[in-house]
Amino acid sequence: MTNSSQVALLGLDRTEIAALVESAGEPAYRAQQLLEAVYRQRVDSIEQISTLPQQFRAGLAQKGVSIGLPAIEQRFVSQDGTVRYLIGFPDGQSVETVWMPEGDGGEAGDGSEAGDSASAAEPSLGRTGEDARPHTFWNAARGWDRATICISSQVGCAVDCQFCLTALLGVKRNLSAGEIVGQVCAVLKDQKVSPPEDRINLVFMGMGEPFLNYDNFMKAVRLLVQEVGVAESRMTVSTAGIVPRIHDFGEEPVRPKLAISLNASNDELRTRLMPLNRKWNLEKLLAAAGNFPLRHRERITFEYVLLNEVNDAPENAKEVAELLRRMRAKVNLIALNPGPGIDFSTPAAERVAAFQQVLIAAGIPTFVRRPRGRDIYAACGQLKRTVALATMPAP
Ligand code: SAH
């Protein structure tokens, strides 16, 4: 650690912070004070850590050590309560992070949503299941009983899915572990909430492909569990299907739940929609999913974006049912969220419902995700640093 190099505390784990404290000649208990300040109190600057002696604070600043809390550059607030944050880093790059009060009616990551308890025997529980749930923890003052934060893992994305706006950016760079955790800390601070007292779910479903930034993503997960205080059972990561990393992920002692973006019912279609299918086709992907070591009562979520008249026919649903036949799976259907430059259209609600019914009849719990924040371009597949909303056609 030289004077000139900038070191951010956010992103450092217990061992690394202990080493920093030791090298400064400070007593070991200062490490805990730093961890508390960074990850629980979420201070902006070292100056604010009043538990530390002034001399230590000045010494850290002199070494170029900062907190590294990223800046909220803009907020877009949807009619449905969703907030899309534009979060900026010192090098000028930025990502989007989405706050969704009350969850999204589909995968919430906390294992307690209706999505986990519904089955073929309860077909009526589809999309309205969440609303039917008793609001035991309802917080009247706030108007929500739980919230989900959707986190980005890369600036842009390299995967090139044909229906996704983020793909149009290409990938600019990976986010560091600190930048991934930093999004959560910045949003929690802005919303004035704290896990575990407040029920917060995290989904790694923002910009980027988490499994192409695997080590930083996993370090962020561990920091979120150990230091920020979000249980692993309240987190879900979604991958476009990076097969070797699915194997690695299964071996992690601490890990979020797994979601896989399926999006097509056969190889020909999937290669057209998701070119990465050439490298990791359905056979390889489903073999990895089938071998994935699931925890008690855990299922793999398969996401399926419905594109009108492209992949949304009942025959496609039958093919999906066949693919997932022997799998402990559930399916989240997402009707396409449109965007400029995306050459697909959104199916009508009846087509979505018909698709859902085929899967439910085949015994696969299937849910339709309620779009969140479509009016502010915050919904799935719409994250693209859309600063000038006025230049975009109305969704
Ligand atoms: N790269 C990871 C994480 C992003 S998750 C992955 O692909 O899984 C984002 C989810 O939104 C994915 O399931 C993706 O298939 C879906 N999606 C992408 N574009 C969309 C769009 N235009 N409308 C609805 N869903 C979309």
Side-chain angles (χ1 to χ4, degrees):
M1 249 167 263
T2 64
N3 284 0
S4 55
S5 72
Q6 274 289 323
V7 180
L9 292 176
L10 249 171
L12 299 188
D13 61 22
R14 225 154 247 275
T15 313
E16 290 162 326
I17 291 203
L20 188 137
V21 164
E22 202 191 329
S23 75
E26 288 286 329
Y29 65 84
R30 298 260 179 253
Q32 187 57 32
Q33 292 176 320
L34 279 171
L35 287 164
E36 289 273 332
V38 171
Y39 293 107
R40 301 268 179 184
Q41 294 161 33
R42 300 180 276 274
V43 298
D44 293 305
S45 72
I46 288 179
E47 206 36 56
Q48 289 171 15
I49 313 178
S50 52
T51 49
L52 301 182
Q54 187 52 46
Q55 203 194 341
F56 183 33
R57 282 185 258 176
L60 287 173
Q62 211 182 13
K63 277 190 194 160
V65 178
S66 66
I67 302 289
L69 191 68
I72 293 176
E73 293 180 347
Q74 297 211 43
R75 285 176 195 80
F76 303 89
V77 182
S78 165
Q79 292 157 6
D80 66 19
T82 301
V83 183
R84 178 166 63 95
Y85 288 95
L86 187 70
I87 293 196
F89 305 110
D91 70 347
Q93 297 288 2
S94 55
V95 294
E96 299 181 350
T97 310
V98 183
W99 166 261
M100 293 172 282
E102 218 193 327
D104 69 356
E107 185 53 59
D110 71 349
S112 67
E113 75 275 19
D116 275 349
S117 58
S119 69
E122 310 162 82
S124 66
L125 265 178
R127 65 179 301 169
T128 55
E130 183 186 16
D131 299 325
R133 225 181 94 243
H135 286 291
T136 325
F137 298 93
W138 181 260
N139 184 324
R142 287 193 182 120
W144 55 274
D145 65 348
R146 64 190 168 89
T148 301
I149 302 175
C150 179
I151 309 162
S152 293
S153 55
Q154 298 180 304
V155 182
C157 190
V159 178
D160 204 26
C161 301
Q162 298 300 297
F163 42 80
C164 180
L165 270 184
T166 307
L168 299 177
L169 291 173
V171 68
K172 302 279 194 293
R173 68 170 173 83
N174 280 336
L175 294 184
S176 66
E179 289 169 332
I180 296 173
V181 178
Q183 293 168 63
V184 178
C185 290
V187 171
L188 293 175
K189 188 180 174 85
D190 191 60
Q191 295 288 339
K192 302 186 176 60
V193 294
S194 261
E197 301 79 41
D198 297 299
R199 295 209 304 165
I200 305 295
N201 304 309
L202 303 179
V203 296
F204 296 88
M205 300 188 183
M207 298 168 81
E209 168 49 51
F211 282 9
L212 290 180
N213 184 18
Y214 187 81
D215 292 343
N216 292 344
F217 152 70
M218 276 309 303
K219 185 177 186 190
V221 164
R222 290 187 291 269
L223 288 169
L224 287 163
V225 172
Q226 287 156 17
E227 308 305 341
V228 180
V230 182
E232 61 184 324
S233 58
R234 288 189 178 280
M235 300 183 191
T236 302
V237 62
S238 177
T239 179
I242 313 297
V243 166
R245 294 293 87 73
I246 295 177
H247 291 294
D248 296 342
F249 187 63
E251 286 170 10
E252 297 287 351
V254 174
R255 62 158 179 83
K257 294 191 282 185
L258 177 64
I260 294 176
S261 296
L262 184 63
N263 296 337
S265 58
N266 58 59
D267 274 317
E268 191 198 333
L269 194 52
R270 193 161 191 271
T271 299
R272 207 173 108 208
L273 301 174
M274 302 176 72
L276 100 165
N277 194 64
R278 253 179 233 119
K279 186 155 184 181
W280 295 296
N281 64 15
L282 285 172
E283 189 188 340
K284 291 177 184 162
L285 179 65
L286 295 171
N291 290 326
F292 190 78
L294 291 167
R295 295 181 283 235
H296 180 58
R297 283 172 54 86
E298 188 182 7
R299 289 174 187 269
I300 297 185
T301 299
F302 287 87
E303 296 144 292
Y304 195 101
V305 182
L306 291 163
L307 311 168
N308 190 41
E309 311 265 341
V310 174
N311 66 354
D312 67 337
E315 295 74 62
N316 297 112
K318 281 178 203 140
E319 284 181 336
V320 170
E322 190 55 33
L323 292 175
L324 303 184
R325 204 156 50 101
R326 274 186 291 275
M327 206 87 62
R328 256 160 70 194
K330 67 173 181 172
V331 171
N332 273 349
L333 300 175
I334 319 170
L336 176 80
N337 293 310
I342 300 300
D343 273 345
F344 298 100
S345 61
T346 309
E350 301 77 65
R351 278 182 83 82
V352 175
F355 198 97
Q356 179 185 23
Q357 286 313 316
V358 171
L359 290 173
I360 288 177
I364 302 170
T366 303
F367 306 90
V368 179
R369 273 214 216 164
R370 182 157 48 96
R372 298 298 307 263
R374 256 195 202 172
D375 56 336
I376 54 162
Y377 276 89
C380 302
Q382 294 190 311
L383 301 185
K384 200 203 160 199
R385 284 186 296 153
T386 311
V387 180
L389 269 180
T391 65
M392 315 270 289

